[in-house]
Amino acid sequence: MFGYKSAVPKVRLTTDRMVLRLVHDRDAHRLAEYYAENRAFLKPWEPVRDESHCYPSGWQARLSLITEMQKQGSAYYFILLDPDENRVMGVANFSNVLRGSFHACFLGYSLGQEWQGQGLMLEALQSLIRYMQRQQKMHRIMANYMPHNKRSGQLLERLGFEREGYAKDYLLIDGKWQDHVLTALTWREWTPPSR
């Protein structure tokens, strides 16, 4: 029916140090715990979050919406788990997925404070980008970062993202309009989805 998918895709990828999988309704407690543990650490890099972001009940409502977007193929929200799948180490999402003549999306991500500086986000995003390109047929993945977020800029550069512009007052982050560097990764080997 008009390009809607009938079921949430089952995606579970493994790397050397993590399990990466799409979120589902049973992840409310895990996500609430991740955001509660990292609230102060993530605050300068994210939009203002209300209290519900740190409670399972708030995540239950969010996960219903995310599940519907994943069914439609308009967004893919992944959690990065330790190998035993007990703790959420980070999150990565591919949102505003458009197909047709564009085949593009936006990438967003965060990694918990405990896991910083170990190359884990690079490892996760290499695998997730490959999935989005090969399985979801994304030709273009866009990711933007605040100029003072050097680590994020270096990560995107290592992944092959190229700077395409600079946007003043682009996003409302931590209650202030923040400039962002605009980057994109284009998949040169892209082929149309099979019909």
Side-chain angles (χ1 to χ4, degrees):
M1 160 190 216
F2 302 112
Y4 283 77
K5 299 184 185 215
S6 60
V8 176
K10 304 275 190 262
V11 181
R12 184 180 182 279
L13 308 169
T14 57
T15 69
D16 290 342
R17 299 179 287 171
M18 288 172 285
V19 172
L20 318 170
R21 69 163 171 75
L22 286 176
V23 296
H24 51 64
D25 292 336
R26 294 180 308 278
D27 289 323
H29 287 277
R30 289 177 177 189
L31 285 163
E33 185 176 281
Y34 170 75
Y35 282 100
E37 283 177 5
N38 292 287
R39 186 174 194 152
F41 176 71
L42 295 175
K43 185 178 182 293
W45 313 109
E46 294 193 333
V48 172
R49 306 286 191 195
D50 64 29
E51 289 296 316
S52 73
H53 226 70
C54 297
Y55 293 101
S57 57
W59 273 100
Q60 287 168 342
R62 257 181 227 97
L63 286 169
S64 293
L65 179 61
I66 289 169
T67 299
E68 192 56 39
M69 289 189 292
Q70 290 178 159
K71 280 182 189 176
Q72 296 172 11
S74 64
Y76 299 89
Y77 286 75
F78 290 91
I79 52 176
L80 288 53
L81 298 159
D82 68 281
D84 296 324
E85 300 186 50
N86 292 323
R87 292 191 63 201
V88 175
M89 302 162 73
V91 296
N93 60 72
F94 297 86
S95 61
N96 298 317
V97 174
L98 297 173
R99 299 181 195 276
S101 60
F102 200 31
H103 288 275
C105 63
F106 284 94
L107 165 63
Y109 50 86
S110 71
L111 188 68
Q113 185 171 14
E114 178 181 344
W115 313 103
Q116 294 288 314
Q118 301 172 43
L120 290 166
M121 189 54 77
L122 176 67
E123 182 179 319
L125 290 179
Q126 286 171 330
S127 184
L128 293 172
I129 288 168
R130 190 168 39 253
Y131 166 79
M132 290 301 293
Q133 290 173 332
R134 294 179 182 169
Q135 303 303 312
Q136 296 304 324
K137 294 295 190 177
M138 290 295 101
H139 174 251
R140 179 179 179 78
I141 299 173
M142 297 166 284
N144 308 317
Y145 65 94
M146 291 180 285
H148 59 278
N149 190 346
K150 304 290 186 206
R151 290 181 84 169
S152 198
Q154 291 167 352
L155 170 65
L156 293 170
E157 188 176 330
R158 288 183 70 193
L159 289 164
F161 283 75
E162 296 179 19
R163 182 182 170 139
E164 294 190 328
Y166 190 92
K168 307 265 314 153
D169 294 339
Y170 184 70
L171 285 177
L172 189 59
I173 301 293
D174 194 22
K176 297 177 289 245
W177 287 106
Q178 297 281 349
D179 296 355
H180 277 67
V181 176
L182 311 178
T183 72
L185 176 67
T186 304
W187 189 29
R188 307 276 183 230
E189 293 80 39
W190 184 87
T191 56
S194 55
R195 296 192 185 265

